[in-house]
Amino acid sequence: MKEIVEAKFKEIFGTEGRFKTYFAPGRVNLIGEHTDYNGGHVFPCALTMGTYATVREREDKILNFYSINFDELGILSSSIENLTYNENENWINYPKGVIWALKSEGYNIDHGFDIVFYGTIPNGAGLSSSASLEVLTGFILNDMFKLNIDNTKIALIGQKAENQYVGVNCGIMDQFVIANGKKDNAVFLDTATLKYQYAPIKLENAKIVIINTNKKRGLGDSKYNVRRAECEKALEELQQAGLKIKSLGELTEEEFEENKSAIKDEIRQKRAKHAVYENQRTIKAVKALEDNNLKLFGELMVESHNSLRDDYEVTGIELDTAVEEALKQKGVIGARMTGAGFGGCAVSIVETDKVENFIKNVEKGYREKIGYNPDFYVVEIGDGPRTL
C-alpha cells in the first residue's frame, strides 16, 4: 500500500522535496454500542485495514488534498488561513477540522502541505473511515509540527473536529481505539474516565468476520444525534427524580428498573434501557473473555444486537438480515451489528474451519432477502497509527 500511495503522490505533486508516509487503522467494536456518549464501557479493536497518507510540507499556507478513493474530485485546495467548514468541500472537512481543532487549542500550524490519502476501509461501512482520517491527520501534524502531544490527545482532537466542526455528536470510542490500538488486543475503555486496559483476544480456532451490508450510512444525516438527545433527556429526568448520577453508564440494571418510571416517555425509557444494559453486557463480555468463555461472549453479542434492534432501533432490515443469516450457520459463536447502525457492518466470530461455508451461505441468504450481495472481511487486529 505504501508504494501505491507514494507513486500516486509523485504523479500528482511531483518527485521533488522530502515526503513521508503514514498509516492509521480502522476499527471494529466487538461489543458496547451507543454506550460511549452515555458514560459507559466499550470494547473495540483496531484493524489492519485503514488509511494511508503520503505528505510533503510546503513553505506557504496552501493545503492541497488528494484522495485515491475520490480520484474523480482531483486536488482539493484550501488554506490554513481559511479553515471554515464548507459542505461542498466534501471529505476534506475531516482533515481541515483536525487542523482547526489544533489551532483552536493554541497549537502552531503555520504552513501548508500537499497530501495524498488512500483508505482501504470501505466508505460508509461503519468501520470508522472518518475517525481513521482524523487520527491519521492528527498523528501527521503532531510529527510535522513537533507538537509533542500523546495519542489520547490526538483522539480528543479528532473527536472535537467531528463534534464541533463537522457537526456529528459522536462519542470518543472510534478515535480513541484507532489512536491507541494494539495488535491482537481489544481496548476495554471506560468512556467516562478514559481509563482503559488492553484485553488479549485469543481466538485460537476462530476468526473475526465482518459482514458489510453495502447499505451506506452517513452519521451526520442519520438519526444518530436524535438517539443521543433522547438519552440526554432520559438522564435529565432521572437526575430530576433525585438520582445522583452524571451518566446512564453509572446505573446497574437493578437501579435502572427501580427508577425508570421517572423517564416520562416510553421511547426514551427504551433508549436508556439499552444504554444501561449494554454497558453491563460489555463488562460481562470482557470478564467472559478473561475466563476463556467464548460461548458466553457470543451469547452477549447476540443480546447486544437484539437490544440495538428492539430498544435502540438502529439496525434496519439489512443489518438484521446479515445477523439472522450469520446465526443460522454452523460454527458461529456470536454476531451483532457494529458501529452506529442504520446500515454499515455486522461483526461475527466464526470457527476457522467453517469460515468459507459461512461466507457462501450468508451471501446467498442475504442476496435472496435484500436483492444484492454483502461483502466480507476476515480481519486481523492491528496496532495504532505509525510512520511507515
Side-chain angles (χ1 to χ4, degrees):
M1 292 300 167
K2 181 176 186 270
E3 292 72 24
I4 292 170
V5 190
E6 289 180 354
K8 182 56 86 170
F9 185 92
K10 290 172 191 170
E11 181 194 321
I12 300 294
F13 293 119
T15 55
E16 62 281 356
R18 184 169 162 267
F19 50 80
K20 283 175 93 169
T21 302
Y22 302 83
F23 170 80
R27 71 93 189 93
V28 66
N29 190 24
L30 298 175
I31 193 165
E33 217 66 74
H34 289 280
T35 49
D36 65 338
Y37 53 82
N38 284 309
H41 292 77
V42 291
F43 196 53
C45 51
L47 299 173
T48 51
M49 56 167 72
T51 315
Y52 297 78
T54 297
V55 62
R56 181 181 61 205
E57 297 182 55
R58 298 177 62 91
E59 289 177 2
D60 56 17
K61 311 283 186 187
I62 300 295
L63 298 164
N64 287 324
F65 300 97
Y66 185 93
S67 169
I68 295 173
N69 304 83
F70 299 104
D71 222 15
E72 70 284 357
L73 297 176
I75 297 169
L76 298 172
S77 294
S78 190
S79 160
I80 54 170
E81 291 174 328
N82 175 26
L83 293 171
T84 318
Y85 178 82
N86 180 347
E87 207 176 323
N88 299 327
E89 288 196 327
N90 204 286
W91 64 271
I92 74 165
N93 282 305
Y94 291 97
K96 270 178 63 186
V98 172
I99 301 168
W100 167 86
L102 284 165
K103 283 174 75 78
S104 76
E105 296 199 9
Y107 292 101
N108 184 29
I109 313 288
D110 59 4
H111 61 260
F113 49 85
D114 302 324
I115 191 162
V116 169
F117 288 102
Y118 178 46
T120 58
I121 313 164
N123 250 27
L127 301 176
S128 279
S129 52
S130 56
S132 180
L133 187 53
E134 290 156 2
V135 169
L136 180 59
T137 304
F139 188 82
I140 290 168
L141 294 170
N142 187 36
D143 185 38
M144 189 185 288
F145 293 99
K146 308 289 179 273
L147 304 179
N148 203 22
I149 56 180
D150 66 16
N151 280 11
T152 295
K153 179 65 180 177
I154 289 171
L156 289 163
I157 287 289
Q159 185 197 18
K160 181 176 183 176
E162 191 137 350
N163 289 173
Q164 296 178 30
Y165 190 86
V166 179
V168 176
N169 217 357
C170 69
I172 187 60
M173 173 180 72
D174 295 352
Q175 291 85 354
F176 193 95
V177 68
I178 288 166
N180 292 297
K182 183 179 174 185
K183 185 174 163 48
D184 297 331
N185 283 259
V187 178
F188 183 41
L189 170 68
D190 180 344
T191 62
T193 61
L194 294 192
K195 287 193 174 131
Y196 69 101
Q197 63 193 64
Y198 291 111
I201 301 293
K202 298 191 205 83
L203 303 176
E204 272 138 30
N205 300 305
K207 295 281 186 195
I208 297 170
V209 183
I210 294 173
I211 309 164
N212 183 356
T213 64
N214 285 321
K215 162 86 188 294
K216 294 280 189 287
R217 40 155 286 278
L219 269 188
D221 53 17
S222 75
K223 301 177 186 112
Y224 181 93
N225 290 345
V226 176
R227 290 294 178 281
R228 184 161 182 164
E230 287 166 339
C231 286
E232 284 165 359
K233 179 68 179 162
L235 173 64
E236 200 181 294
E237 288 170 302
L238 289 166
Q239 289 167 332
Q240 283 164 355
L243 274 182
K244 301 273 188 287
I245 53 168
K246 290 194 180 120
S247 71
L248 294 172
E250 290 176 42
L251 294 174
T252 62
E253 293 112 319
E254 295 75 23
E255 287 166 334
F256 173 75
E257 293 300 338
E258 281 164 23
N259 293 280
K260 67 182 181 185
S261 59
I263 303 168
K264 298 299 176 222
D265 175 84
E266 194 188 335
I267 298 281
R268 283 199 299 277
Q269 258 190 39
K270 285 167 71 176
R271 305 299 188 246
K273 180 185 176 185
H274 168 76
V276 172
Y277 276 66
E278 181 77 350
N279 181 44
Q280 295 301 322
R281 257 192 298 276
T282 305
I283 295 165
K284 288 173 195 164
V286 175
K287 174 80 171 68
L289 213 56
E290 279 171 10
D291 296 342
N292 226 1
N293 190 346
L294 207 52
K295 182 175 177 287
L296 176 57
F297 189 90
E299 287 164 5
L300 290 162
M301 286 175 78
V302 177
E303 281 178 30
S304 167
H305 182 84
N306 294 345
S307 175
L308 287 156
R309 181 190 65 207
D310 302 334
D311 287 332
Y312 224 63
E313 298 181 86
V314 293
T315 56
I317 187 166
E318 295 86 1
L319 281 166
D320 288 338
T321 301
V323 171
E324 281 159 22
E325 292 301 319
L327 293 173
K328 287 178 191 172
Q329 308 311 318
K330 283 185 181 152
V332 172
I333 294 156
R336 59 182 285 277
M337 64 149 271
T338 185
F342 313 107
C345 287
V347 59
S348 46
I349 298 176
V350 185
E351 290 171 11
T352 305
D353 60 351
K354 309 285 195 311
V355 167
E356 204 175 312
N357 276 340
F358 171 86
I359 290 173
K360 193 171 71 182
N361 295 340
V362 173
E363 182 176 77
K364 181 174 181 286
Y366 184 87
R367 186 177 57 246
E368 282 169 5
K369 278 193 193 164
I370 303 298
Y372 53 83
N373 283 347
D375 287 324
F376 297 86
Y377 321 110
V378 182
V379 296
E380 304 291 330
I381 300 173
D383 286 315
R386 55 197 178 272
T387 308
L388 298 178

